[in-house]
Amino acid sequence: LYLRYGNEWGTAAYTLMFCRADALMLGVLGALATRQPRVLRVLSEKTWILHVALAIFGACVGILILKGWTMQTRPMSTLGYSCIALFYLSLLLLAVVRVDGWWVRAMRFRPLMALGNLAYCVYLVHGSTFSVSSYLLHNRVHTSGPDWSAAIVGLLSALGISQLSWRYLESKMIRIGHRFTYAGSSAPTEARVIGQA
């Protein structure tokens, strides 16, 4: 879409599901990998594979940041999002296959895990809470430069809304989902045992 229509479609390339199917499927493949004992064993025994992937895709993410390429640019809309997804997949798999080390301890840090519960709602509402806080504090929605006061109020508001959503909506929906069992539901337990062996 970006190559055909130009940067006016940069936002579409970022938001439309079929434009981001590669990142979604990488998440699915990562989940499947942790449920396949043979794959998990290979990743556990040869963690250098994940370290190399982390270094390569981490360097790509670093370049994206240093160059300042945003969603309206060709590099980000064509390859950038895939590099970011591969970088995060490498981080997640490394946290799963390692049983000790600073990275595993960081991923098990309780405040960080609590923020993980709120992350999706924060993603959904942060733009609105920032705009509202900017309007309430300065009678304008957009500013020409950094607006730290609006950013802090917007962030705290987004966290508060997300906490309410988690407590009264999302956690209850997850609890309902856990009432059902699916074929092969014992696979995650097997994979976890192998990952800790």
Side-chain angles (χ1 to χ4, degrees), residues 125 129-130 132-133 150-163:
V125 303
T129 58
F130 175 75
V132 169
S133 63
I152 291 169
V153 172
L155 174 62
L156 293 175
S157 301
L159 288 170
I161 291 169
S162 300
Q163 181 63 47

Side-chain angles (χ1 to χ4, degrees), residues 77-128:
S77 290
T78 53
L79 295 175
Y81 297 131
S82 299
C83 286
I84 293 170
L86 287 162
F87 174 69
Y88 282 121
L89 177 63
S90 303
L91 286 173
L92 287 170
L93 287 175
L94 196 58
V96 170
V97 301
R98 294 287 300 271
V99 293
D100 59 3
W102 70 269
W103 177 244
V104 175
R105 287 193 299 274
M107 291 297 99
R108 293 177 183 166
F109 184 53
R110 289 201 177 276
L112 188 61
M113 292 169 65
L115 280 176
N117 290 335
L118 309 182
Y120 189 65
C121 189
V122 169
Y123 167 71
L124 291 178
V125 303
H126 78 278
S128 299

Side-chain angles (χ1 to χ4, degrees), residues 6-80:
N7 64 1
E8 295 86 8
W9 280 76
T11 304
Y14 173 66
T15 56
L16 294 179
M17 188 272 289
F18 60 83
C19 293
R20 306 298 302 280
D22 59 333
L24 291 169
M25 291 312 297
L26 281 171
V28 171
L29 289 174
L32 286 172
T34 64
R35 286 163 170 77
Q36 298 298 319
R38 187 169 54 180
V39 175
L40 195 60
R41 187 177 294 112
V42 169
L43 292 176
S44 299
E45 293 171 355
K46 300 180 179 179
T47 55
W48 64 267
I49 296 171
L50 295 175
H51 287 285
V52 169
L54 196 61
I56 292 170
F57 297 116
C60 292
V61 170
I63 291 169
L64 293 170
I65 293 169
L66 289 173
K67 292 285 189 178
W69 287 326
T70 64
M71 71 171 67
Q72 303 299 334
T73 62
R74 182 188 301 256
M76 184 61 85
S77 290
T78 53
L79 295 175

Side-chain angles (χ1 to χ4, degrees), residues 138-160:
H138 309 296
N139 288 329
R140 60 181 185 272
V141 174
H142 299 290
T143 60
S144 57
D147 185 352
W148 291 106
S149 59
I152 291 169
V153 172
L155 174 62
L156 293 175
S157 301
L159 288 170

